[in-house]
Amino acid sequence: MKVGIVGAGQVGATAAFAMVLRGAASEVVLVDRNAALARAQAEDILHATQFSYPARVRAGDYADLADAGVVVLAAGVAQREGETRLALLERNAAVFGTIIPAVLAAAPQAILLVASNPLDVMTEIAARISGLPEGRVIGSGTILDSARFRALLGAHLDVSPKSVHAYVLGEHGDSEVLWWTGATVAGLPVAAMAEQRNRPLTAESKARIDTAVRRAADAIISGKGATWFGIGGGLARLVQAIAGNEHVLLSVSAPTARVEGIENVTLSLPRVIGAAGIVSTLVPELDEGERFALRRSAEILKAATEGLAL
């Protein structure tokens, strides 16, 4: 499958590299307003195809996105000193207002995969601007947060994270909700598995895992300025699921009609991903604390888009 990536910075380039390593795309086209950067990234990644799966990797313009099955939106502007969050959002909305029509003019059949932050709000903006049918605008959402949750649970239980099924719901951000009651290993609730492994999940250990998941990006940003490997891998996984029509469950962000009483909000829930994009959305069974937290997350995201001029 041909994949376009708009924004050839660290996230976009790392996603392209990860797609090549996974064999998720047969062709990758990098588009950036800095054409020299796009060319350099494409050439560097192309050289690596000798050590991975065969793929064509090149830089181009919007017209070169023709026939792309997926286009990743990894472009955006940085916050200015003293700038309000709403003002930043409006500037990023303006960026998407230029990018998305150009993308769809070249590749009207493409699924849009949003990677720009603030992720959930930008996913809603992309859905509004594009006017695409439900399921064809997907935010990377909490796919990375869920991976962190699984990794930390696996480390606590001393089992492979591949054997852990756990999801983070809601915002890709501070109000995200770790779905503890839905976490399982080998069909067992994680608490039962923890007892069998003689590694009980105490309130202290759960709080430690929660904090580590929620603050993971802060620690990485403090050390190197930004995150890109984890999300690059997550974007490649999403592209692979679409290309292979896998119908795999992944926690991604999309406009949702109703979540815990909040209507028309964009956030992450477990969703079935296939060739058409989001095939269906699952409604998680939550305990009262999780329901309250998810409603609060939905309220925060709903408020974030109020007053946003598009």
Side-chain angles (χ1 to χ4, degrees):
M1 183 176 71
K2 180 177 178 178
V3 177
I5 299 177
V6 181
Q10 293 285 21
V11 170
T14 303
F17 184 51
M19 290 173 203
V20 168
L21 291 181
R22 290 188 72 100
S26 59
E27 181 178 358
V28 179
V29 179
L30 290 166
V31 178
D32 196 282
R33 64 178 182 175
N34 183 343
L37 173 65
R39 286 194 299 271
Q41 299 280 38
E43 186 172 349
D44 196 11
I45 296 165
L46 178 63
H47 297 163
T49 60
Q50 297 298 311
F51 315 112
S52 61
Y53 290 86
R56 185 183 182 195
V57 185
R58 61 192 176 98
D61 207 338
Y62 290 106
D64 296 296
L65 300 177
D67 300 321
V70 174
V71 176
V72 177
L73 304 179
V77 295
Q79 191 164 12
R80 296 167 177 164
E81 185 176 353
E83 184 176 36
T84 66
R85 186 173 184 272
L86 184 59
L88 172 63
L89 279 173
E90 288 179 346
R91 287 203 298 130
N92 268 321
V95 171
F96 269 26
T98 299
I99 289 173
I100 291 172
V103 167
L104 293 179
Q109 78 293 338
I111 293 167
L112 300 183
L113 184 51
V114 181
S116 303
N117 280 317
L119 190 284
D120 301 287
V121 179
M122 294 306 295
T123 301
E124 179 165 333
I125 288 169
R128 290 192 202 177
I129 292 172
S130 69
L132 288 174
E134 182 178 349
R136 281 185 55 196
V137 177
I138 306 172
S140 56
T142 56
I143 189 171
L144 178 54
D145 310 87
S146 296
R148 292 165 175 160
F149 188 19
R150 295 177 185 191
L152 290 164
L153 277 174
H156 180 84
L157 299 171
D158 194 24
V159 300
S160 168
K162 292 282 190 180
S163 299
V164 179
H165 296 276
Y167 298 91
V168 176
L169 313 174
E171 180 190 13
H172 172 57
D174 292 342
S175 72
E176 64 189 24
V177 181
L178 276 65
W179 184 21
W180 285 98
T181 58
T184 63
V185 183
L188 291 173
V190 288
M193 173 61 78
E195 292 297 330
Q196 289 196 34
R197 297 284 290 154
N198 197 29
R199 293 169 175 267
L201 276 168
T202 63
E204 181 182 359
S205 61
K206 288 178 71 173
R208 174 181 53 79
I209 291 171
D210 186 287
T211 299
V213 172
R214 205 176 297 277
R215 301 262 70 91
D218 294 344
I220 294 169
I221 291 168
S222 176
K224 67 175 193 175
T227 65
W228 53 80
F229 292 123
I231 190 57
L235 292 166
R237 180 67 188 96
L238 278 164
V239 167
Q240 188 174 47
I242 294 167
N245 194 26
E246 292 185 21
H247 284 222
V248 64
L249 271 169
L250 297 169
S251 55
V252 295
S253 186
T256 308
R258 187 177 179 87
V259 178
E260 295 300 327
I262 308 301
E263 296 183 348
N264 301 318
V265 62
T266 299
L267 45 57
S268 285
L269 291 172
R271 305 181 196 267
V272 179
I273 307 298
I278 295 172
V279 177
S280 64
T281 297
L282 301 188
V283 179
E285 294 185 358
L286 310 172
D287 67 18
E288 284 304 310
E290 291 165 342
R291 289 188 64 186
F292 177 84
L294 184 57
R295 179 182 174 89
R296 179 60 182 148
S297 188
E299 288 173 340
I300 289 169
L301 289 169
K302 184 74 173 179
T305 58
E306 290 180 356
L308 186 62
L310 290 179

